[in-house]
Amino acid sequence: MAAFGSVFMPQMALATYENSNWSTPELVPSDAIQLHPGAHVLHYASTCFEGLKAFRHEDGSINIFRMDRNVKRMQQSSELLSLPAFNESMLEHMIIDVVKHFSEEVPAPPGSMYIRPTHIGTEAAIGKAASPTHSSMLYVLLSPVGDYFSGGDKSLRLLLEENGSRCAAHMGMVKSGGNYASALQPILEARASVNADQVLFCPNGDVQETGAANFLLIDGNEIITKALDTSFLHGVTRDSILTIAKDLGMTVSERELSVEELLERAAKPNCEAALSGTAAVLAPVGTLIHDGQEFSVGNGNTGETTLKLRKALNDIQWGKAEDTHGWLTKI
C-alpha cells in the first residue's frame, strides 16, 4: 500500500449549503473542488473533519465502525465552529452511499477503507473575521489503507511538553484542522531535538493528549486517562478501548493525571502506555522524555495489555468477535 491516506477513490459524496438550504448529495469526481480564493475556510479556518473506517468481513459484507458517533461529533464540531447545521441522516446516507459505490475496493483485514467526511465554509467574504460563513461544502472522501503496523510495531518516544497546549482550551474537543496545525511546529522541533515521535502536551503538568491521538496509561489492571472536558479531543477509539477494558474487568479511571504521577507509575515494570486513534487503534509508547531525561515506560517495549486491547477491538471491527455494543453498520 502507498503511504497512509495518500490514495483516494476517484469519486466522493458532496453536498453544498446555499441560500439556507442543502443541495441533494451526489457523487462527483474527487480530484478537485471549486473554491473562491476569498472563501471563509481559507482565511478564518472554518473547517472540521472526521475519520472512521469500513471493514470487509469474511462473509464479504462491508461494515462501518461507529458511524453514528463520528457523525454526532462532526455535528458538534460544526456547531462550535458556527458552520451551517446539517441533518445527521444526510451525512450517514452520504457515507453509506459512497462506501457502497466502492465496496469492491474495501481491502480485506488488516486493511480497511478510511472515510474522511469534511465540512468547510465557502462564502467568499474576507470581511467576516468575526462572522460565520453563510455557505459551506460537505464531502466524504475514501482512501483504502493497509496495515498500519506493516513497518513493525515499534514503541513510540514522547516528549512531555508542560509549557504549551495543543490548541486553545475551549477548542480541544473540536476536530478542526487548525488544532493539528498549531501542534505541528512543536512536533517537528521535538523530532529534531530529541528524536521524539510525538509531543504529549501537559500544560501546567496536566497530562492531556498528543498532537494527533489520545493518551492512555495502563498500570496493571487499571487504565488512567484524562476525564472528558473541552481541552482535548473526545476520541471515538478512546471511548471504544475504555468500553472494552471495562468488559474485560479492568478498572477505568478518567481523571486528572499529573506529569509527576505519570513518571512515577511509568517506572513500574508492568506499566504500559499507548496512543489511541482511528489509524493505529492503539500504538505502544516506550519512552517518555522530560527535562532532558529519558524514562522507560515499563520495560520500554510493547505491552501485553496494549496488544490484548487492540486485538479485542480489531476482532470486533473485522467480524471475528461479537459486536455486543452495536458499533457496526452493515451496508
Side-chain angles (χ1 to χ4, degrees), residues 54-95:
F55 299 88
R56 180 179 299 280
H57 288 186
E58 286 187 1
D59 63 2
S61 67
I62 306 301
N63 296 263
I64 303 173
F65 185 71
R66 303 206 71 175
M67 177 175 64
D68 58 339
R69 184 67 176 257
N70 282 273
V71 168
K72 283 183 172 62
R73 188 172 65 177
M74 191 160 186
Q75 284 184 311
Q76 175 181 270
S77 292
S78 295
E79 179 183 353
L80 293 174
L81 290 169
S82 298
L83 280 162
F86 59 86
N87 188 278
E88 183 177 319
S89 62
M90 182 182 78
L91 180 54
E92 288 185 348
H93 283 303
M94 289 172 68
I95 292 170

Side-chain angles (χ1 to χ4, degrees), residues 24 54 56 93 136 140 142 167 178 189 196 218 262 285 311:
T24 300
R56 180 179 299 280
H93 283 303
S136 68
V140 182
L142 297 184
C167 59
E189 291 175 359
I218 305 170
L262 170 60
V285 174
K311 182 179 185 301

Side-chain angles (χ1 to χ4, degrees), residues 285-329:
V285 174
T287 304
L288 303 173
I289 307 165
H290 183 248
D291 287 343
Q293 289 184 274
E294 296 192 4
F295 302 85
S296 288
V297 180
N299 61 17
N301 299 318
T302 304
E304 292 182 5
T305 304
T306 298
L307 292 176
K308 180 175 69 173
L309 290 170
R310 184 204 297 164
K311 182 179 185 301
L313 183 52
N314 280 154
D315 283 349
I316 295 171
Q317 293 172 329
W318 298 340
K320 296 180 178 180
E322 185 181 358
D323 175 23
T324 60
H325 297 286
W327 286 340
L328 295 171
T329 300

Side-chain angles (χ1 to χ4, degrees), residues 46-50 74 77-78 81 83 117-119 174-177:
S46 51
T47 171
C48 59
F49 64 92
E50 277 299 324
M74 191 160 186
S77 292
S78 295
L81 290 169
L83 280 162
T118 307
H119 193 190
V174 180
K175 196 168 179 66
S176 178

Side-chain angles (χ1 to χ4, degrees), residues 3-24:
F4 191 97
S6 63
V7 174
F8 300 95
M9 291 295 94
Q11 289 180 295
M12 63 182 180
L14 182 143
T16 57
Y17 184 84
E18 299 277 355
N19 301 317
S20 302
N21 288 296
W22 281 101
S23 67
T24 300

